[in-house]
Short mmCIF file of all heavy atoms in Angstrom, two decimals:
data_model
loop_
_atom_site.label_atom_id
_atom_site.label_comp_id
_atom_site.label_asym_id
_atom_site.label_seq_id
_atom_site.Cartn_x
_atom_site.Cartn_y
_atom_site.Cartn_z
N MET A 1 3.55 -5.81 36.37
CA MET A 1 3.27 -6.54 35.15
C MET A 1 4.48 -7.39 34.73
O MET A 1 5.57 -6.86 34.56
CB MET A 1 2.93 -5.57 34.00
CG MET A 1 1.56 -4.94 34.13
SD MET A 1 0.26 -6.17 33.80
CE MET A 1 -1.17 -5.10 33.83
N SER A 2 4.25 -8.65 34.52
CA SER A 2 5.36 -9.52 34.13
C SER A 2 5.39 -9.73 32.62
O SER A 2 6.25 -10.41 32.10
CB SER A 2 5.25 -10.87 34.83
OG SER A 2 4.00 -11.44 34.52
N THR A 3 4.43 -9.14 31.91
CA THR A 3 4.31 -9.42 30.48
C THR A 3 4.72 -8.21 29.63
O THR A 3 4.42 -8.15 28.45
CB THR A 3 2.87 -9.83 30.12
OG1 THR A 3 1.99 -8.86 30.64
CG2 THR A 3 2.53 -11.18 30.68
N GLU A 4 5.39 -7.25 30.22
CA GLU A 4 5.80 -6.02 29.52
C GLU A 4 6.54 -6.29 28.22
O GLU A 4 6.43 -5.53 27.27
CB GLU A 4 6.72 -5.19 30.42
CG GLU A 4 6.05 -4.56 31.61
CD GLU A 4 5.16 -3.39 31.23
OE1 GLU A 4 5.59 -2.59 30.39
OE2 GLU A 4 4.05 -3.30 31.76
N GLU A 5 7.31 -7.37 28.19
CA GLU A 5 8.20 -7.63 27.06
C GLU A 5 7.45 -8.13 25.83
O GLU A 5 7.96 -8.08 24.74
CB GLU A 5 9.25 -8.67 27.43
CG GLU A 5 10.16 -8.26 28.59
CD GLU A 5 10.89 -6.95 28.29
OE1 GLU A 5 11.47 -6.85 27.18
OE2 GLU A 5 10.87 -6.05 29.14
N ILE A 6 6.25 -8.65 26.02
CA ILE A 6 5.51 -9.23 24.90
C ILE A 6 4.88 -8.13 24.06
O ILE A 6 4.13 -7.31 24.59
CB ILE A 6 4.42 -10.20 25.40
CG1 ILE A 6 5.06 -11.36 26.17
CG2 ILE A 6 3.58 -10.72 24.23
CD1 ILE A 6 4.05 -12.24 26.88
N PRO A 7 5.19 -8.08 22.76
CA PRO A 7 4.55 -7.06 21.91
C PRO A 7 3.05 -7.33 21.80
O PRO A 7 2.64 -8.45 21.51
CB PRO A 7 5.23 -7.23 20.56
CG PRO A 7 6.31 -8.24 20.74
CD PRO A 7 6.04 -8.98 22.01
N ARG A 8 2.28 -6.28 22.02
CA ARG A 8 0.82 -6.41 22.04
C ARG A 8 0.19 -5.84 20.78
O ARG A 8 0.71 -4.89 20.19
CB ARG A 8 0.26 -5.62 23.24
CG ARG A 8 0.74 -6.11 24.58
CD ARG A 8 -0.04 -7.31 25.01
NE ARG A 8 0.57 -7.89 26.21
CZ ARG A 8 0.25 -9.10 26.68
NH1 ARG A 8 -0.63 -9.82 26.04
NH2 ARG A 8 0.82 -9.56 27.75
N CYS A 9 -0.97 -6.38 20.45
CA CYS A 9 -1.80 -5.84 19.38
C CYS A 9 -2.10 -4.36 19.65
O CYS A 9 -2.33 -3.95 20.79
CB CYS A 9 -3.09 -6.66 19.35
SG CYS A 9 -4.32 -6.06 18.19
N SER A 10 -2.11 -3.54 18.58
CA SER A 10 -2.37 -2.10 18.71
C SER A 10 -3.85 -1.75 18.79
O SER A 10 -4.19 -0.60 19.04
CB SER A 10 -1.77 -1.35 17.51
OG SER A 10 -0.38 -1.56 17.41
N ALA A 11 -4.73 -2.71 18.54
CA ALA A 11 -6.17 -2.41 18.58
C ALA A 11 -6.56 -1.99 19.99
O ALA A 11 -6.06 -2.52 20.98
CB ALA A 11 -6.97 -3.63 18.15
N LYS A 12 -7.48 -1.03 20.04
CA LYS A 12 -7.88 -0.47 21.33
C LYS A 12 -8.46 -1.54 22.24
O LYS A 12 -9.37 -2.27 21.85
CB LYS A 12 -8.91 0.65 21.10
CG LYS A 12 -9.06 1.53 22.31
CD LYS A 12 -9.99 2.68 22.00
CE LYS A 12 -10.09 3.57 23.24
NZ LYS A 12 -11.25 4.46 23.14
N GLY A 13 -7.93 -1.66 23.43
CA GLY A 13 -8.45 -2.60 24.41
C GLY A 13 -8.03 -4.04 24.21
O GLY A 13 -8.36 -4.89 25.03
N CYS A 14 -7.29 -4.32 23.16
CA CYS A 14 -6.88 -5.70 22.88
C CYS A 14 -5.61 -6.02 23.66
O CYS A 14 -4.69 -5.23 23.70
CB CYS A 14 -6.63 -5.90 21.39
SG CYS A 14 -6.19 -7.60 20.97
N ARG A 15 -5.59 -7.19 24.27
CA ARG A 15 -4.45 -7.59 25.10
C ARG A 15 -3.70 -8.75 24.48
O ARG A 15 -2.86 -9.37 25.13
CB ARG A 15 -4.93 -7.99 26.51
CG ARG A 15 -5.71 -6.91 27.24
CD ARG A 15 -4.81 -5.81 27.78
NE ARG A 15 -3.81 -6.34 28.68
CZ ARG A 15 -2.58 -5.82 28.84
NH1 ARG A 15 -2.22 -4.78 28.14
NH2 ARG A 15 -1.72 -6.34 29.70
N GLN A 16 -4.02 -9.10 23.25
CA GLN A 16 -3.40 -10.27 22.66
C GLN A 16 -2.00 -9.96 22.12
O GLN A 16 -1.69 -8.83 21.78
CB GLN A 16 -4.27 -10.81 21.52
CG GLN A 16 -5.63 -11.24 22.00
CD GLN A 16 -6.28 -12.18 20.99
OE1 GLN A 16 -5.84 -13.31 20.81
NE2 GLN A 16 -7.33 -11.70 20.34
N ALA A 17 -1.21 -11.01 22.04
CA ALA A 17 0.14 -10.86 21.49
C ALA A 17 0.06 -10.53 20.00
O ALA A 17 -0.83 -11.01 19.29
CB ALA A 17 0.93 -12.14 21.70
N ALA A 18 0.99 -9.71 19.53
CA ALA A 18 1.01 -9.33 18.12
C ALA A 18 1.52 -10.49 17.26
O ALA A 18 2.47 -11.17 17.62
CB ALA A 18 1.92 -8.13 17.94
N VAL A 19 0.87 -10.70 16.12
CA VAL A 19 1.32 -11.71 15.16
C VAL A 19 1.67 -11.06 13.82
O VAL A 19 2.36 -11.65 13.01
CB VAL A 19 0.25 -12.79 14.89
CG1 VAL A 19 0.90 -14.15 14.83
CG2 VAL A 19 -0.87 -12.79 15.89
N TRP A 20 1.15 -9.84 13.60
CA TRP A 20 1.38 -9.14 12.35
C TRP A 20 1.93 -7.75 12.61
O TRP A 20 1.58 -7.12 13.61
CB TRP A 20 0.07 -9.00 11.57
CG TRP A 20 -0.49 -10.32 11.12
CD1 TRP A 20 -1.41 -11.06 11.76
CD2 TRP A 20 -0.11 -11.05 9.94
NE1 TRP A 20 -1.64 -12.22 11.05
CE2 TRP A 20 -0.87 -12.23 9.94
CE3 TRP A 20 0.79 -10.80 8.89
CZ2 TRP A 20 -0.75 -13.18 8.92
CZ3 TRP A 20 0.89 -11.75 7.89
CH2 TRP A 20 0.13 -12.92 7.91
N VAL A 21 2.73 -7.28 11.68
CA VAL A 21 3.20 -5.90 11.70
C VAL A 21 2.61 -5.20 10.48
O VAL A 21 2.77 -5.67 9.35
CB VAL A 21 4.74 -5.82 11.64
CG1 VAL A 21 5.20 -4.37 11.61
CG2 VAL A 21 5.35 -6.55 12.84
N LEU A 22 1.91 -4.10 10.72
CA LEU A 22 1.37 -3.28 9.63
C LEU A 22 2.27 -2.06 9.50
O LEU A 22 2.38 -1.27 10.42
CB LEU A 22 -0.06 -2.85 9.93
CG LEU A 22 -1.02 -3.94 10.42
CD1 LEU A 22 -2.39 -3.35 10.71
CD2 LEU A 22 -1.14 -5.05 9.41
N ALA A 23 2.91 -1.95 8.35
CA ALA A 23 3.79 -0.81 8.11
C ALA A 23 3.02 0.22 7.30
O ALA A 23 2.42 -0.11 6.28
CB ALA A 23 5.04 -1.26 7.36
N TRP A 24 3.02 1.47 7.76
CA TRP A 24 2.21 2.49 7.08
C TRP A 24 2.93 3.83 7.08
O TRP A 24 3.92 4.04 7.78
CB TRP A 24 0.84 2.59 7.70
CG TRP A 24 0.80 2.97 9.16
CD1 TRP A 24 0.99 2.13 10.22
CD2 TRP A 24 0.57 4.27 9.71
NE1 TRP A 24 0.88 2.83 11.39
CE2 TRP A 24 0.62 4.14 11.11
CE3 TRP A 24 0.32 5.53 9.14
CZ2 TRP A 24 0.44 5.24 11.97
CZ3 TRP A 24 0.14 6.61 10.00
CH2 TRP A 24 0.19 6.47 11.40
N ASN A 25 2.40 4.71 6.25
CA ASN A 25 2.99 6.03 6.07
C ASN A 25 1.87 7.01 5.74
O ASN A 25 1.06 6.75 4.86
CB ASN A 25 4.00 5.94 4.91
CG ASN A 25 4.56 7.29 4.53
OD1 ASN A 25 3.91 8.09 3.87
ND2 ASN A 25 5.79 7.55 4.92
N ASN A 26 1.83 8.09 6.46
CA ASN A 26 0.89 9.18 6.14
C ASN A 26 1.65 10.26 5.40
O ASN A 26 2.47 10.96 5.99
CB ASN A 26 0.29 9.74 7.44
CG ASN A 26 -0.68 10.88 7.18
OD1 ASN A 26 -0.72 11.43 6.07
ND2 ASN A 26 -1.45 11.23 8.19
N PRO A 27 1.41 10.38 4.09
CA PRO A 27 2.21 11.30 3.27
C PRO A 27 2.09 12.77 3.71
O PRO A 27 2.95 13.58 3.37
CB PRO A 27 1.69 11.10 1.85
CG PRO A 27 0.41 10.35 1.98
CD PRO A 27 0.42 9.64 3.30
N LYS A 28 1.04 13.10 4.47
CA LYS A 28 0.91 14.47 4.96
C LYS A 28 1.83 14.75 6.14
O LYS A 28 2.13 15.90 6.46
CB LYS A 28 -0.54 14.75 5.38
CG LYS A 28 -1.46 14.87 4.19
CD LYS A 28 -2.86 15.25 4.63
CE LYS A 28 -3.80 15.31 3.44
NZ LYS A 28 -5.20 15.18 3.85
N LEU A 29 2.23 13.70 6.82
CA LEU A 29 3.03 13.84 8.04
C LEU A 29 4.44 13.31 7.91
O LEU A 29 5.34 13.74 8.62
CB LEU A 29 2.35 13.11 9.21
CG LEU A 29 0.97 13.58 9.63
CD1 LEU A 29 0.45 12.70 10.76
CD2 LEU A 29 0.99 15.04 10.07
N HIS A 30 4.61 12.33 7.01
CA HIS A 30 5.86 11.59 6.99
C HIS A 30 6.53 11.68 5.63
O HIS A 30 5.85 11.75 4.61
CB HIS A 30 5.62 10.11 7.32
CG HIS A 30 4.83 9.89 8.58
ND1 HIS A 30 3.67 9.14 8.62
CD2 HIS A 30 5.04 10.35 9.83
CE1 HIS A 30 3.20 9.15 9.86
NE2 HIS A 30 4.01 9.87 10.62
N THR A 31 7.84 11.63 5.64
CA THR A 31 8.56 11.52 4.37
C THR A 31 8.28 10.13 3.79
O THR A 31 7.95 9.21 4.53
CB THR A 31 10.08 11.72 4.59
OG1 THR A 31 10.52 10.83 5.61
CG2 THR A 31 10.40 13.15 4.98
N PRO A 32 8.40 10.00 2.44
CA PRO A 32 7.94 8.75 1.79
C PRO A 32 8.60 7.47 2.30
O PRO A 32 7.98 6.42 2.28
CB PRO A 32 8.29 8.98 0.31
CG PRO A 32 8.36 10.45 0.16
CD PRO A 32 8.85 10.99 1.48
N GLU A 33 9.84 7.56 2.72
CA GLU A 33 10.54 6.34 3.15
C GLU A 33 10.29 6.01 4.63
O GLU A 33 10.64 4.93 5.09
CB GLU A 33 12.04 6.42 2.87
CG GLU A 33 12.79 7.51 3.60
CD GLU A 33 12.60 8.89 2.98
OE1 GLU A 33 11.89 9.03 1.95
OE2 GLU A 33 13.18 9.85 3.53
N ARG A 34 9.66 6.92 5.33
CA ARG A 34 9.36 6.68 6.75
C ARG A 34 8.30 5.60 6.90
O ARG A 34 7.37 5.53 6.10
CB ARG A 34 8.87 8.00 7.35
CG ARG A 34 8.46 7.94 8.80
CD ARG A 34 9.54 8.43 9.72
NE ARG A 34 9.12 8.29 11.10
CZ ARG A 34 8.50 9.24 11.80
NH1 ARG A 34 8.27 10.41 11.24
NH2 ARG A 34 8.15 9.03 13.04
N ARG A 35 8.44 4.74 7.90
CA ARG A 35 7.42 3.73 8.18
C ARG A 35 7.02 3.79 9.65
O ARG A 35 7.85 3.67 10.53
CB ARG A 35 7.94 2.32 7.88
CG ARG A 35 8.10 2.02 6.40
CD ARG A 35 6.77 1.94 5.69
NE ARG A 35 6.95 1.70 4.26
CZ ARG A 35 7.12 2.67 3.36
NH1 ARG A 35 7.14 3.94 3.73
NH2 ARG A 35 7.29 2.36 2.09
N LYS A 36 5.72 3.99 9.85
CA LYS A 36 5.14 3.82 11.17
C LYS A 36 4.65 2.38 11.24
O LYS A 36 4.33 1.78 10.22
CB LYS A 36 3.95 4.76 11.36
CG LYS A 36 4.28 6.22 11.20
CD LYS A 36 5.09 6.75 12.34
CE LYS A 36 4.21 6.88 13.59
NZ LYS A 36 5.00 7.36 14.74
N THR A 37 4.59 1.82 12.42
CA THR A 37 4.12 0.44 12.51
C THR A 37 3.03 0.30 13.57
O THR A 37 3.07 0.95 14.61
CB THR A 37 5.26 -0.55 12.85
OG1 THR A 37 5.92 -0.13 14.03
CG2 THR A 37 6.25 -0.64 11.71
N TRP A 38 2.06 -0.52 13.24
CA TRP A 38 1.08 -1.00 14.19
C TRP A 38 1.27 -2.49 14.30
O TRP A 38 1.63 -3.14 13.31
CB TRP A 38 -0.35 -0.72 13.69
CG TRP A 38 -0.82 0.67 13.90
CD1 TRP A 38 -0.16 1.67 14.54
CD2 TRP A 38 -2.07 1.22 13.45
NE1 TRP A 38 -0.94 2.81 14.51
CE2 TRP A 38 -2.10 2.56 13.86
CE3 TRP A 38 -3.15 0.68 12.74
CZ2 TRP A 38 -3.18 3.39 13.58
CZ3 TRP A 38 -4.22 1.50 12.47
CH2 TRP A 38 -4.25 2.84 12.89
N LEU A 39 0.98 -3.00 15.47
CA LEU A 39 1.03 -4.44 15.67
C LEU A 39 -0.39 -4.96 15.72
O LEU A 39 -1.30 -4.28 16.20
CB LEU A 39 1.75 -4.75 16.98
CG LEU A 39 3.17 -4.21 17.08
CD1 LEU A 39 3.75 -4.50 18.45
CD2 LEU A 39 4.05 -4.79 15.99
N ALA A 40 -0.60 -6.16 15.22
CA ALA A 40 -1.95 -6.73 15.22
C ALA A 40 -1.94 -8.21 15.56
O ALA A 40 -1.05 -8.94 15.13
CB ALA A 40 -2.59 -6.53 13.85
N CYS A 41 -2.95 -8.61 16.31
CA CYS A 41 -3.20 -10.04 16.52
C CYS A 41 -3.95 -10.55 15.29
O CYS A 41 -4.35 -9.77 14.42
CB CYS A 41 -4.01 -10.26 17.79
SG CYS A 41 -5.68 -9.59 17.69
N GLU A 42 -4.17 -11.86 15.24
CA GLU A 42 -4.87 -12.46 14.09
C GLU A 42 -6.27 -11.83 13.94
O GLU A 42 -6.71 -11.53 12.84
CB GLU A 42 -4.97 -13.97 14.32
CG GLU A 42 -5.13 -14.79 13.06
CD GLU A 42 -3.95 -14.64 12.10
OE1 GLU A 42 -2.81 -15.00 12.46
OE2 GLU A 42 -4.19 -14.15 10.99
N GLU A 43 -6.93 -11.61 15.06
CA GLU A 43 -8.31 -11.10 15.04
C GLU A 43 -8.41 -9.68 14.50
O GLU A 43 -9.37 -9.34 13.82
CB GLU A 43 -8.85 -11.17 16.48
CG GLU A 43 -10.31 -10.83 16.60
CD GLU A 43 -10.75 -10.76 18.06
OE1 GLU A 43 -10.08 -11.32 18.93
OE2 GLU A 43 -11.78 -10.11 18.30
N HIS A 44 -7.44 -8.83 14.80
CA HIS A 44 -7.54 -7.42 14.43
C HIS A 44 -6.73 -7.04 13.20
O HIS A 44 -6.77 -5.89 12.78
CB HIS A 44 -7.10 -6.54 15.61
CG HIS A 44 -8.09 -6.57 16.74
ND1 HIS A 44 -7.80 -7.11 17.96
CD2 HIS A 44 -9.38 -6.13 16.78
CE1 HIS A 44 -8.88 -7.01 18.74
NE2 HIS A 44 -9.84 -6.41 18.05
N LYS A 45 -6.03 -8.00 12.63
CA LYS A 45 -5.22 -7.70 11.44
C LYS A 45 -6.05 -7.06 10.34
O LYS A 45 -5.69 -6.04 9.76
CB LYS A 45 -4.58 -8.99 10.94
CG LYS A 45 -3.82 -8.84 9.65
CD LYS A 45 -3.63 -10.21 9.00
CE LYS A 45 -2.99 -10.08 7.64
NZ LYS A 45 -3.31 -11.24 6.80
N GLU A 46 -7.22 -7.66 10.06
CA GLU A 46 -8.04 -7.18 8.96
C GLU A 46 -8.60 -5.79 9.26
O GLU A 46 -8.57 -4.89 8.42
CB GLU A 46 -9.18 -8.17 8.70
CG GLU A 46 -9.81 -7.96 7.34
CD GLU A 46 -10.81 -9.06 7.00
OE1 GLU A 46 -10.65 -10.19 7.48
OE2 GLU A 46 -11.75 -8.75 6.26
N HIS A 47 -9.11 -5.62 10.47
CA HIS A 47 -9.70 -4.33 10.87
C HIS A 47 -8.67 -3.21 10.78
O HIS A 47 -8.93 -2.14 10.22
CB HIS A 47 -10.24 -4.46 12.30
CG HIS A 47 -10.72 -3.17 12.86
ND1 HIS A 47 -11.93 -2.62 12.51
CD2 HIS A 47 -10.15 -2.31 13.74
CE1 HIS A 47 -12.08 -1.46 13.16
NE2 HIS A 47 -11.02 -1.25 13.91
N LEU A 48 -7.50 -3.45 11.33
CA LEU A 48 -6.46 -2.40 11.35
C LEU A 48 -5.91 -2.14 9.95
O LEU A 48 -5.67 -0.98 9.58
CB LEU A 48 -5.33 -2.79 12.31
CG LEU A 48 -5.70 -2.81 13.79
CD1 LEU A 48 -4.54 -3.38 14.62
CD2 LEU A 48 -6.05 -1.42 14.30
N SER A 49 -5.72 -3.20 9.17
CA SER A 49 -5.18 -2.98 7.83
C SER A 49 -6.20 -2.31 6.92
O SER A 49 -5.86 -1.46 6.11
CB SER A 49 -4.63 -4.28 7.22
OG SER A 49 -5.64 -5.23 7.09
N ASP A 50 -7.50 -2.64 7.10
CA ASP A 50 -8.55 -1.95 6.34
C ASP A 50 -8.57 -0.46 6.67
O ASP A 50 -8.73 0.39 5.78
CB ASP A 50 -9.93 -2.54 6.66
CG ASP A 50 -10.21 -3.82 5.88
OD1 ASP A 50 -9.35 -4.22 5.06
OD2 ASP A 50 -11.27 -4.42 6.12
N PHE A 51 -8.45 -0.15 7.94
CA PHE A 51 -8.45 1.24 8.39
C PHE A 51 -7.35 2.04 7.69
O PHE A 51 -7.57 3.13 7.18
CB PHE A 51 -8.24 1.27 9.92
CG PHE A 51 -8.22 2.65 10.51
CD1 PHE A 51 -9.39 3.22 10.99
CD2 PHE A 51 -7.04 3.37 10.60
CE1 PHE A 51 -9.38 4.50 11.56
CE2 PHE A 51 -7.02 4.65 11.16
CZ PHE A 51 -8.19 5.21 11.63
N LEU A 52 -6.17 1.46 7.64
CA LEU A 52 -5.03 2.14 7.00
C LEU A 52 -5.18 2.17 5.48
O LEU A 52 -4.89 3.17 4.83
CB LEU A 52 -3.72 1.44 7.39
CG LEU A 52 -3.33 1.56 8.85
CD1 LEU A 52 -2.19 0.60 9.17
CD2 LEU A 52 -2.93 2.99 9.21
N ASP A 53 -5.67 1.06 4.92
CA ASP A 53 -5.79 0.94 3.47
C ASP A 53 -6.81 1.95 2.93
O ASP A 53 -6.59 2.58 1.89
CB ASP A 53 -6.19 -0.49 3.13
CG ASP A 53 -5.85 -0.85 1.70
OD1 ASP A 53 -4.92 -0.23 1.13
OD2 ASP A 53 -6.51 -1.73 1.14
N LEU A 54 -7.92 2.13 3.64
CA LEU A 54 -8.95 3.09 3.21
C LEU A 54 -8.39 4.50 3.09
O LEU A 54 -8.85 5.29 2.28
CB LEU A 54 -10.10 3.10 4.23
CG LEU A 54 -11.12 1.97 4.09
CD1 LEU A 54 -12.07 1.99 5.28
CD2 LEU A 54 -11.91 2.15 2.79
N ARG A 55 -7.45 4.80 3.93
CA ARG A 55 -6.83 6.13 3.92
C ARG A 55 -5.62 6.22 2.99
O ARG A 55 -4.99 7.27 2.89
CB ARG A 55 -6.43 6.51 5.35
CG ARG A 55 -7.65 6.85 6.18
CD ARG A 55 -7.43 6.68 7.66
NE ARG A 55 -8.66 6.98 8.40
CZ ARG A 55 -9.69 6.13 8.53
NH1 ARG A 55 -9.63 4.93 7.99
NH2 ARG A 55 -10.76 6.48 9.19
N GLY A 56 -5.28 5.08 2.38
CA GLY A 56 -4.14 5.04 1.48
C GLY A 56 -2.80 5.05 2.19
O GLY A 56 -1.77 5.36 1.59
N PHE A 57 -2.82 4.67 3.46
CA PHE A 57 -1.58 4.72 4.26
C PHE A 57 -0.82 3.40 4.28
O PHE A 57 0.37 3.38 4.58
CB PHE A 57 -1.89 5.07 5.73
CG PHE A 57 -2.46 6.46 5.95
CD1 PHE A 57 -2.91 6.81 7.21
CD2 PHE A 57 -2.53 7.39 4.93
CE1 PHE A 57 -3.44 8.08 7.44
CE2 PHE A 57 -3.06 8.66 5.15
CZ PHE A 57 -3.52 9.01 6.41
N LEU A 58 -1.53 2.30 4.02
CA LEU A 58 -0.94 0.98 4.24
C LEU A 58 0.13 0.67 3.21
O LEU A 58 -0.09 0.77 2.01
CB LEU A 58 -2.02 -0.10 4.23
CG LEU A 58 -1.57 -1.50 4.63
CD1 LEU A 58 -1.09 -1.54 6.08
CD2 LEU A 58 -2.68 -2.50 4.42
N LYS A 59 1.29 0.26 3.68
CA LYS A 59 2.41 -0.08 2.78
C LYS A 59 2.71 -1.56 2.78
O LYS A 59 3.06 -2.13 1.76
CB LYS A 59 3.68 0.68 3.22
CG LYS A 59 3.56 2.19 3.15
CD LYS A 59 3.32 2.66 1.73
CE LYS A 59 3.18 4.18 1.69
NZ LYS A 59 2.77 4.64 0.36
N ASP A 60 2.62 -2.20 3.92
CA ASP A 60 3.09 -3.57 4.05
C ASP A 60 2.42 -4.26 5.24
O ASP A 60 2.17 -3.62 6.25
CB ASP A 60 4.60 -3.57 4.35
CG ASP A 60 5.40 -4.10 3.18
OD1 ASP A 60 4.90 -5.00 2.48
OD2 ASP A 60 6.52 -3.60 2.98
N VAL A 61 2.15 -5.53 5.06
CA VAL A 61 1.70 -6.36 6.17
C VAL A 61 2.66 -7.55 6.24
O VAL A 61 2.79 -8.30 5.29
CB VAL A 61 0.26 -6.85 5.96
CG1 VAL A 61 -0.19 -7.72 7.14
CG2 VAL A 61 -0.69 -5.67 5.79
N VAL A 62 3.36 -7.65 7.35
CA VAL A 62 4.45 -8.62 7.46
C VAL A 62 4.23 -9.46 8.73
O VAL A 62 3.89 -8.90 9.77
CB VAL A 62 5.80 -7.86 7.59
CG1 VAL A 62 6.97 -8.82 7.66
CG2 VAL A 62 5.98 -6.88 6.44
N PRO A 63 4.42 -10.78 8.63
CA PRO A 63 4.33 -11.58 9.86
C PRO A 63 5.34 -11.06 10.89
O PRO A 63 6.48 -10.73 10.53
CB PRO A 63 4.71 -13.00 9.40
CG PRO A 63 4.47 -13.00 7.92
CD PRO A 63 4.73 -11.59 7.46
N PHE A 64 4.91 -10.99 12.12
CA PHE A 64 5.77 -10.42 13.16
C PHE A 64 7.14 -11.12 13.21
O PHE A 64 8.17 -10.47 13.38
CB PHE A 64 5.08 -10.51 14.53
CG PHE A 64 5.83 -9.78 15.60
CD1 PHE A 64 5.73 -8.40 15.71
CD2 PHE A 64 6.66 -10.46 16.48
CE1 PHE A 64 6.44 -7.72 16.70
CE2 PHE A 64 7.36 -9.78 17.46
CZ PHE A 64 7.25 -8.42 17.56
N ALA A 65 7.14 -12.43 13.02
CA ALA A 65 8.38 -13.21 13.07
C ALA A 65 9.36 -12.80 11.97
O ALA A 65 10.57 -12.97 12.12
CB ALA A 65 8.08 -14.69 12.97
N ASP A 66 8.83 -12.27 10.86
CA ASP A 66 9.68 -11.89 9.72
C ASP A 66 10.04 -10.42 9.71
O ASP A 66 10.77 -9.97 8.83
CB ASP A 66 8.96 -12.20 8.41
CG ASP A 66 8.75 -13.69 8.19
OD1 ASP A 66 9.36 -14.47 8.94
OD2 ASP A 66 7.95 -14.04 7.29
N TRP A 67 9.51 -9.68 10.66
CA TRP A 67 9.70 -8.22 10.64
C TRP A 67 11.10 -7.85 11.10
O TRP A 67 11.59 -8.35 12.10
CB TRP A 67 8.67 -7.55 11.55
CG TRP A 67 8.85 -6.07 11.64
CD1 TRP A 67 9.35 -5.38 12.72
CD2 TRP A 67 8.56 -5.10 10.63
NE1 TRP A 67 9.34 -4.02 12.41
CE2 TRP A 67 8.88 -3.83 11.16
CE3 TRP A 67 8.05 -5.20 9.33
CZ2 TRP A 67 8.71 -2.66 10.42
CZ3 TRP A 67 7.89 -4.03 8.59
CH2 TRP A 67 8.22 -2.79 9.15
N SER A 68 11.73 -6.98 10.33
CA SER A 68 12.97 -6.36 10.82
C SER A 68 12.91 -4.89 10.46
O SER A 68 12.45 -4.55 9.37
CB SER A 68 14.20 -7.02 10.21
OG SER A 68 14.11 -6.97 8.81
N GLU A 69 13.30 -4.06 11.33
CA GLU A 69 13.18 -2.60 11.15
C GLU A 69 13.91 -2.11 9.92
O GLU A 69 15.01 -2.47 9.68
CB GLU A 69 13.77 -1.87 12.37
CG GLU A 69 13.02 -2.15 13.66
CD GLU A 69 11.66 -1.44 13.74
OE1 GLU A 69 11.43 -0.51 12.94
OE2 GLU A 69 10.86 -1.81 14.59
ZN1 ZN B 101 -6.02 -7.53 18.69
#
């Protein structure tokens, strides 16, 4: 694979490059300041962020270009 370096969308089966970073936290598993991240392409941003938001996990949606750990 020559494309290993390209960050990919986290949606199952999706091979597109990530454009968004979804920062989330599960209060049952993580301390409040901890951030887990999913990557999303334009197509899956809404689906993935809705999934996290419904569970109350979603903290931030940041353009991939602006993301810094
Ligand atoms: Zn995707």
